[in-house]
Amino acid sequence: DAGVTQSPTHLIKTRGQQVTLRCSPISGHKSVSWYQQVLGQGPQFIFQYYEKEERGRGNFPDRFSARQFPNYSSELNVNALLLGDSALYLCASSSGLAGFTGELFFGEGSRLTVL
Amino acid sequence: AQSVTQPDIHITVSEGASLELRCNYSYGATPYLFWYVQSPGQGLQLLLKYFSGDTLVQGIKGFEAEFKRSQSSFNLRKPSVHWSDAAEYFCAVGARSNTGKLIFGQGTTLQVKP
């Protein structure tokens, strides 16, 4: 079975541009969470979607937005890119929200470099 | 404030030696606790988790962790380290009602000497 897949794996943007990152969860999983991992730090929670509704938002500016589609895939959008947005963006899926159904399975991430 | 602290940024151990990685957390209620491992350029893989019950939990790859409520700690251990264990290790906590919003520590990089 396919795991969580993310695209693109690597991308380079310049300041002020916009980027869209994509995530396909494990088949049957209805929850998708997004995390930002800056080099040398632990992942930071950005968004969670469950059943196409936003269920949580981390401490990120409004330049960050996300959505979940009817097939449970998800997109993360970042507008007006800053140098500090350079990071590994991780997507994780789970079948539910809590307990054993809430266990997160992570993709390998999208590495964004902003020049 | 909710937080996770991994006091050791970098640890080096010899192959075959024992390992303990420390994790302390600050959380309003008893959280769910996790340890993840990340190899270079890879995503995160779950090593083990604590939800309830026995405070000593066993995970994959021979790892175990002990939850100590009184110390707000969840330290990771392995009796004999293998060269393939070299990676970055993250402790994380999450609410019992929703484990999709995890709070991670800054990570501990493990180097294994031959």
Side-chain angles (χ1 to χ4, degrees):
Chain A
D1 286 343
V4 176
T5 57
Q6 294 186 241
S7 63
T9 55
H10 295 82
L11 67 165
I12 300 173
K13 295 285 187 177
T14 57
R15 282 177 296 175
Q17 285 188 312
Q18 174 264 341
V19 67
T20 298
L21 308 178
R22 296 174 177 83
C23 172
S24 293
I26 292 172
S27 177
H29 283 193
K30 299 180 179 179
S31 176
V32 169
S33 296
W34 287 95
Y35 289 82
Q36 180 196 64
Q37 186 179 17
V38 173
L39 195 63
Q41 297 183 19
Q44 269 198 292
F45 171 75
I46 311 175
F47 281 109
Q48 182 192 31
Y49 278 80
Y50 179 70
E51 289 278 23
K52 291 155 281 184
E53 291 188 1
E54 183 181 305
R55 295 301 296 263
R57 183 186 183 117
N59 188 24
F60 281 82
D62 291 343
R63 298 185 296 108
F64 288 77
S65 63
R67 56 180 174 169
Q68 188 176 34
F69 298 98
N71 66 353
Y72 302 109
S73 68
S74 178
E75 286 183 351
L76 175 70
N77 294 283
V78 187
N79 294 322
L81 285 167
L82 303 174
L83 295 179
D85 295 330
S86 296
L88 180 67
Y89 288 85
L90 294 165
C91 175
S93 74
S94 62
S95 58
L97 291 178
F100 291 97
T101 67
E103 178 179 332
L104 292 182
F105 294 82
F106 283 84
E108 295 193 353
S110 294
R111 172 75 63 188
L112 170 64
T113 301
V114 181
L115 301 177
Chain B
Q2 300 169 344
S3 65
V4 175
T5 301
Q6 295 180 242
D8 306 304
I9 295 175
H10 192 106
I11 283 183
T12 301
V13 300
S14 298
E15 190 168 16
S18 64
L19 171 70
E20 182 169 27
L21 302 182
R22 295 181 291 164
C23 172
N24 294 97
Y25 66 89
S26 173
Y27 206 82
T30 302
Y32 286 167
L33 297 151
F34 306 84
W35 274 99
Y36 286 87
V37 61
Q38 185 177 38
S39 298
Q42 302 293 310
L44 300 171
Q45 181 183 23
L46 180 66
L47 285 176
L48 49 77
K49 56 185 179 286
Y50 172 77
F51 285 170
S52 63
D54 192 348
T55 56
L56 184 64
V57 294
Q58 305 295 321
I60 62 172
K61 304 184 181 185
F63 285 93
E64 66 178 26
E66 186 172 12
F67 169 54
K68 293 186 177 180
R69 185 190 306 271
S70 62
Q71 299 177 18
S72 296
S73 69
F74 189 55
N75 294 347
L76 182 71
R77 300 194 293 250
K78 186 169 185 178
S80 177
V81 169
H82 187 262
W83 65 266
S84 61
D85 293 326
E88 191 151 21
Y89 292 79
F90 293 97
C91 180
V93 301
R96 289 173 172 267
S97 60
N98 187 341
T99 52
K101 299 181 285 186
L102 297 181
I103 300 170
F104 285 85
Q106 69 181 61
T108 298
T109 301
L110 173 64
Q111 183 179 359
V112 181
K113 294 189 302 184

